């Protein structure tokens, strides 16, 4: 049977695909802009015949009824590697729970917990080429390992998805069924950098030497930083998430990959989330190499890059250097994602550096993000023993190898001036640093 016939034989409707799911089964799904919109939308319509179905998701981007509606309780339970807006909103209702993970081990950890079993996998892909090969398109973070483990693999074929290159190819013979749904991929708009983001971007840009390889994380600040790198030369990209700003840097000739030591000449990453401009850029682009998250985010692979600089953002940093990027106190907000992977990996690289860049205040300037101790219940994303460099709009604090006392001094200098005295008083009162000023002692960072 040729590839075209094979495709026709495997093509079924979305309701028929969802009808294959049985009560008490587990469905693994592709993440973010690769999410199978048609099947995830249809799932809620099967509520009455399904009980106790677990759905594994990662950064869901759309408003799906099976996640959002209270009447789904008992029918569907969501286990989530990285919260997006919908599951963050319904978390208090108890139908979703976070899976703690470092991204490079997300699939393998989950599959080890399930005894290697996954009943159903739903993902997305491009239409097949003349030889029957489809591209998994916008994410390879967790997808291939789930495809390998699943008893039943159904892919949603979408002609609006870019045919990305790298390890994204899958042959029609390797899937059980295909459905068709041509929804445009989710777009994440980028805003022009605010003045405080430009200041932070300027400090970060100064820490990135020409010829470095960069990783930019998720969030407003990492995206804004691309605009401040326009005067750099010969940057390379080894990232987890491809963002729209990277296209601007490529088109301006800043990203060449010429000095890269791992996949020279290629921009390497595991998923893409941004504007249509990014998705158009990725289509059949030999300069863009998608690899599985277990590879792109392996700290030892990251560390083989020459002058690797990772740039991520956070919600709070305490005076010992513990970074919280995934919760606001006990309230779960997002996930660790690849933050610890990339922060650690960058420090393994010759000439590398891990940067956490954040605004010094939140909530309209009413609270400091640099704090004596993390809020009660806050999750630690980067432990103090792994932390390297913290940047705010007030400067750069190099924490690696410094004592808690020296870290505190350095962090107070980059905290918002309105909160510096409060931090000083609190670290002393709590006994974190009993006496910040010791006569005759000057911290090494001063
Ligand atoms: N205390 C209380 N609330 C805070 C806060 C603090 N210290 N810091 C920020 N907030 C609030 C903001 O006011 C905002 O509230 P709103 O949604 O009501 O407006 C919210 O938290 C989000 O803050 P914001 O700075 O806009 O977030 P962002 O979209 O830039 O994302 C992270 C920042 C840290 C949440 C995001 O980068 C993340 O999840 N990182 C972890 C994963 C990661 O870095 N992976 C890297 C590889 S891709």
């Amino acid at each position: 049977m040729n590839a075209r016939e094979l495709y026709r034989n495997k093509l079924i409707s979305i309701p028929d695909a969802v009808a294959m799911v049985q009560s008490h089964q587990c469905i693994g799904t592709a993440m973010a802009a690769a999410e199978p919109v048609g099947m995830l939308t249809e799932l809620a319509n099967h509520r009455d015949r399904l009980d106790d179905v677990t759905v594994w998701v990662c950064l869901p981007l759309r408003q799906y009824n099976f996640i959002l509606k209270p009447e789904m309780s008992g029918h569907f339970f969501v286990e989530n590697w990285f919260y997006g807006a919908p599951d963050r909103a319904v978390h208090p209702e108890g139908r979703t729970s976070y899976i703690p993970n470092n991204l490079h081990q997300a699939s393998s950890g989950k599959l080890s917990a399930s005894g290697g079993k996954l009943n159903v996998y739903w993902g997305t892909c491009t239409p097949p080429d003349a030889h029957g090969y489809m591209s998994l398109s916008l994410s390879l973070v967790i997808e291939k390992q789930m495809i390998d483990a699943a008893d039943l693999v159904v892919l949603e074929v979408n002609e609006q998805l870019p045919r990305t290159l790298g390890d994204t190819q899958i042959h029609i013979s390797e899937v059980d069924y295909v459905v068709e749904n041509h929804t445009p991929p989710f777009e994440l708009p980028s805003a022009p950098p605010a003045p405080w983001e430009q200041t932070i971007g300027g400090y970060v840009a100064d820490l990135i030497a020409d010829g470095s390889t960069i990783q930019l994380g998720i969030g407003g600040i990492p995206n804004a930083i691309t605009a401040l790198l326009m005067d750099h030369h010969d940057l390379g990209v080894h990232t987890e998430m491809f963002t729209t700003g990277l296209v601007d840097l490529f088109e301006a000739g800043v990203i060449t990959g010429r000095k890269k030591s791992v996949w020279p000449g290629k921009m390497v990453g595991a998923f893409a989330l941004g504007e249509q401009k990014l998705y158009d850029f990725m289509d059949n682009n030999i300069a863009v190499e998608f690899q599985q998250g277990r590879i792109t985010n392996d700290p030892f692979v990251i560390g083989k890059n020459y002058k690797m600089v990772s740039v991520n953002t956070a919600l709070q940093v305490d005076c010992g250097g513990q970074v919280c990027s995934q919760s606001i106190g006990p309230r779960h907000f997002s996930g660790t994602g690849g933050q610890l992977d990339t922060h650690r990996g960058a420090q393994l690289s010759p000439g590398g550096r891990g940067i956490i860049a954040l605004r010094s205040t939140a909530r309209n300037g009413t609270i400091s993000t640099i704090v004596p101790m993390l809020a009660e219940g806050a999750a630690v994303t980067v432990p103090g023993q792994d932390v390297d460099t913290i940047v705010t709009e007030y400067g750069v604090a190099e924490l690696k190898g410094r004592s808690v006392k020296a870290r505190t001094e350095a962090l107070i200098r980059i905290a918002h001036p309105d909160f510096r005295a409060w931090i000083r008083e609190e670290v002393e009162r709590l006994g974190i640093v009993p006496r910040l000023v010791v006569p005759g002692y000057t911290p090494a960072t001063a």
Side-chain angles (χ1 to χ4, degrees), residues 3-80:
R4 200 174 290 239
E5 288 165 348
L6 211 49
Y7 182 86
R8 268 200 302 271
N9 282 353
K10 293 187 175 197
L11 180 62
I12 58 173
S13 72
I14 290 175
D16 284 351
V18 178
M20 290 177 191
V21 177
Q22 305 298 316
S23 289
H24 314 295
Q25 285 194 329
C26 182
I27 310 169
T29 65
M31 69 170 273
E35 63 190 0
V37 178
M39 289 185 282
L40 291 178
T41 303
E42 172 69 13
L43 187 55
N45 299 334
H46 295 245
R47 180 198 73 154
D48 291 344
R49 63 167 195 88
L50 291 175
D51 290 315
D52 182 33
V53 169
T54 304
V55 189
W56 298 348
V57 301
C58 186
L59 190 48
L61 296 170
R62 303 190 194 234
Q63 305 292 308
Y64 296 113
N65 284 344
F66 81 94
I67 299 178
L68 292 173
K69 298 283 182 192
E71 61 268 26
M72 298 296 155
S73 191
H75 301 278
F76 304 110
F77 188 80
V78 176
E79 293 194 320
N80 195 332

Side-chain angles (χ1 to χ4, degrees), residues 314-318 322-325 358 368-369 371 373-375 378:
L315 300 172
Q316 272 190 334
V317 178
D318 78 11
Q322 299 190 103
V323 177
C324 167
S325 313
L358 78 170
S368 177
T369 57
V371 287
M373 60 179 188
L374 295 182

Side-chain angles (χ1 to χ4, degrees), residues 214-230:
I214 57 171
Q215 173 265 338
L216 299 178
I218 192 165
I221 292 176
N223 202 43
I225 281 163
T226 52
L228 281 301
L229 292 173
M230 284 294 171

Side-chain angles (χ1 to χ4, degrees), residues 82-83 88 103 196-197 215-222 239-241 271 297 311-317 324-329 331 333-340 342 356 358-359 361-364 367-371 375 381:
F82 196 98
Y83 275 26
R88 196 179 295 149
L103 193 128
W196 59 270
E197 286 175 319
Q215 173 265 338
L216 299 178
I218 192 165
I221 292 176
T239 193
E240 168 192 331
M241 172 172 145
F271 81 105
N297 278 53
V311 185
N312 294 299
T313 186
L315 300 172
Q316 272 190 334
V317 178
C324 167
S325 313
Q326 63 195 72
S327 74
I328 297 178
R331 189 161 62 86
F333 189 84
S334 53
T336 305
Q339 184 165 124
L340 184 56
T342 53
I356 302 289
L358 78 170
R359 195 178 191 179
T361 58
R363 302 258 155 92
N364 290 326
I367 53 174
S368 177
T369 57
I370 306 294
V371 287
T381 308

Side-chain angles (χ1 to χ4, degrees), residues 26-29 31 54-60 77-84 87-88 91 95-114 117-118 141-142 146 326-327 332-339 341 379-381:
C26 182
I27 310 169
T29 65
M31 69 170 273
T54 304
V55 189
W56 298 348
V57 301
C58 186
L59 190 48
F77 188 80
V78 176
E79 293 194 320
N80 195 332
W81 282 287
F82 196 98
Y83 275 26
D87 33 0
R88 196 179 295 149
H91 177 89
R95 295 191 307 281
T96 180
S97 190
Y98 175 61
I99 310 162
N101 69 96
N102 283 313
L103 193 128
H104 81 281
Q105 293 167 321
S107 284
S108 55
K110 191 68 195 139
L111 287 166
S112 117
S114 74
K117 288 192 192 318
L118 175 61
V141 170
I142 45 177
M146 286 195 282
Q326 63 195 72
S327 74
H332 191 76
F333 189 84
S334 53
T336 305
Q339 184 165 124
D341 289 340
V380 174
T381 308

